[in-house]
Every structure is written in C-alpha cells, then in structure tokens.
Amino acid sequence: MIVLEREQSFLMVTQNDHAQIAGVIARNCKEDYFFDDNRTNEVLLAIKEHDRGWIEMDSSPVWNDKTEKPYSFIDYPLSLKITFYKKGLEEVEKLSKYAGLLCSLHYASFIQDSSEQVVREFWKEEKQRQEQLSKDLQLTGNELKQETLMYHLDLLKFCDYLSLYISLNEPGDNKGTHPFFRNGFPQLFSFVTDKPIIAHWENQETVSLSFSPLKGELAVKLPYKTVMKDQIEEHGILQAYKDTPVSIRKVTFSQES
C-alpha cells in the first residue's frame, strides 16, 4: 500500500493500481526507447505486473502501532512482504520468463544490502532464479543482450518512479516533495544526455517533466481512497478502508516547454 498522511486522513493507493499506471506510462513511451522490438510486449508486461504480489496484502490493510499509521510498502513487515514478493514473481514468470527476470532484478536491487537473514535468503534465491532465466533466454554471455536487459530494467524503474510520484506527493505541491524525488529520478538514459529526469507540478492536475520519453501529453487516472482518521479510530483500519469509496485523480504528464 502507498500511504500519504494528511491532517485528518490517509490517502491510500494500492500497489497494483499504481503498477497499472506505470504500465500505461510504459505503453505510451516512444517505440524507439524499447530498443528491442522482440521484447517490447514482455517489458510492458513486467512493468504492468511488477507489483502483483501486493494484491492480497493490499486487500486487507494493517495498522502499524509504532507509527500510528497504516503499514505501507516502505515499512511492511519483511517476512510477510517477501512471502508475497515470491508469489508475485512466480506468477509473472509463468506469464513471461523475460518479464519474470526483469521483476526479479527489480526487487533484488533494492534489498541486496540488507543484513537480515530472511532478506539474504530471498536475495540468494532470486540470484539463482535470475541465472536460470538468463540461461533459458540465452542471455548469458551475450553482452549486448545483457545491456538491453539492464536498460529495460531502468525503463521499468522509471515508470515505477513516475507513477509513485503522483501517489506519494500532494497534487500541486512542489515544496513538500517526497525524498525519493528531490534529486530527480535516479535512472540515467543516454537519450537525456545522462542527466536526471526531474518532475514537478505545474498545477494540481499536471506534472511537467524536464525530459519526457512519452509520445506526447498523457492523461492517467489514479484510483485512491481517502480514509478518515476518526473512522479508523472508531472502526479500525480494515473496516474503515473497506467502507471508504474509491476516488479517481486525473493527472496529465507533459514535457517542459
């Protein structure tokens, strides 16, 4: 779950809804930026389905007593999170080995430095998965294909970050930007002359990019719930979340003029 705290409520976006937005962004990137036409559909699949392991977790949000907030994807208990990571990765791999490899690389990349045993075991298992899939896909030892794979991984991460940008930040507010984005997006692309892509709100419905890989302006619709704190206090997070209707936020991405 993606959670943004407000004074009287929590704005909550499911990981899968966020991933679907990332998929829409990817589908609207210029074709040239996929490099390998034979892999485009599998890359799109990986981006759209990269958070499918969260579907079950997000259907029943859990309260964090320490932070007095709903658990988010950032602080969700590791052992449970990894169990569902595995489930999601296995499901993606069944759909496409290349997509499964990309998603495995994605998850392994942001937990590889952890010293916790459960994480080290997960990372070790994913390295084995990656090696096997690379062999199956005949990527092992092919430098060009490996470079293309890493590029596709960066494309997945970029679409992930751009979708997170509109989920973790208040619309129109450039002063309170989440730390994830204060120095621009971390992925560096040669077609941007190796400078970070920087996003900012033009207004409450428009996000401007310093460089856009998109074909043109793109409007997306982000589902979210505004769960009131008094309802959580009265009914608990699970019931309050279920009783809150889904709202839709429309956001347009454009390139700086």
Side-chain angles (χ1 to χ4, degrees), residues 72-245:
S72 75
F73 72 100
I74 296 171
D75 62 356
Y76 205 89
L78 269 175
S79 57
L80 285 173
K81 184 159 61 173
I82 284 176
T83 297
F84 286 99
Y85 278 179
K86 290 179 182 178
K87 181 176 181 291
L89 289 170
E90 287 164 4
E91 290 175 359
V92 175
E93 184 183 335
K94 288 178 182 177
L95 297 172
S96 158
K97 288 186 176 182
Y98 195 80
L101 177 56
L102 282 173
C103 290
S104 176
L105 289 165
H106 179 54
Y107 279 111
S109 68
F110 52 72
I111 63 166
Q112 61 183 336
D113 295 327
S114 176
S115 60
E116 294 195 39
Q117 184 61 30
V118 65
V119 178
R120 290 167 64 88
E121 282 297 319
F122 173 72
W123 190 81
K124 182 180 178 182
E125 290 173 8
E126 289 311 307
K127 289 296 290 183
Q128 291 172 348
R129 184 200 303 270
Q130 292 159 22
E131 289 171 5
Q132 185 60 53
L133 288 174
S134 291
K135 288 179 182 177
D136 293 346
L137 293 162
Q138 298 181 330
L139 306 180
T140 305
N142 188 314
E143 187 175 342
L144 179 59
K145 288 185 177 180
Q146 288 290 335
E147 287 179 1
T148 302
L149 176 69
M150 291 300 102
Y151 169 78
H152 287 155
L153 178 61
D154 273 342
L155 196 60
L156 186 163
K157 288 180 175 295
F158 170 77
C159 295
D160 184 30
Y161 264 76
L162 187 51
S163 179
L164 278 175
Y165 184 89
I166 64 172
S167 305
L168 281 173
N169 292 311
E170 289 285 2
D173 179 13
N174 291 307
K175 293 182 179 179
T177 301
H178 192 280
F180 282 179
F181 314 102
R182 287 178 186 163
N183 297 313
F185 298 160
Q187 298 76 41
L188 298 177
F189 298 106
S190 59
F191 50 74
V192 201
T193 62
D194 293 328
K195 294 180 180 179
I197 295 175
I198 297 172
H200 73 274
W201 293 95
E202 292 282 351
N203 51 56
Q204 289 198 333
E205 294 186 345
T206 306
V207 170
S208 178
L209 302 173
S210 57
F211 178 90
S212 175
L214 301 171
K215 298 171 186 175
E217 282 196 350
L218 173 64
V220 298
K221 294 180 179 179
L222 178 69
Y224 67 94
K225 289 190 176 189
T226 302
V227 186
M228 304 304 298
K229 291 182 178 179
D230 59 358
Q231 293 299 303
I232 295 173
E233 188 173 348
E234 183 176 354
H235 302 291
I237 181 60
L238 182 57
Q239 193 60 48
Y241 180 80
K242 288 184 175 179
D243 289 345
T244 302

Side-chain angles (χ1 to χ4, degrees), residues 1-2 13-23 44-58 73 81 84-89 91-92 99 102-104 106-107 110 156 159-161 163-164 167:
M1 188 73 70
I2 299 166
V13 177
T14 72
Q15 293 288 119
N16 191 54
D17 283 338
H18 136 75
Q20 300 307 301
I21 298 293
L44 292 174
L45 177 68
I47 295 171
K48 181 171 74 79
E49 299 294 343
H50 77 270
D51 274 336
R52 69 180 293 120
W54 282 95
I55 294 173
E56 189 174 341
M57 284 187 282
D58 283 352
F73 72 100
K81 184 159 61 173
F84 286 99
Y85 278 179
K86 290 179 182 178
K87 181 176 181 291
L89 289 170
E91 290 175 359
V92 175
L102 282 173
C103 290
S104 176
H106 179 54
Y107 279 111
F110 52 72
L156 186 163
C159 295
D160 184 30
Y161 264 76
S163 179
L164 278 175
S167 305

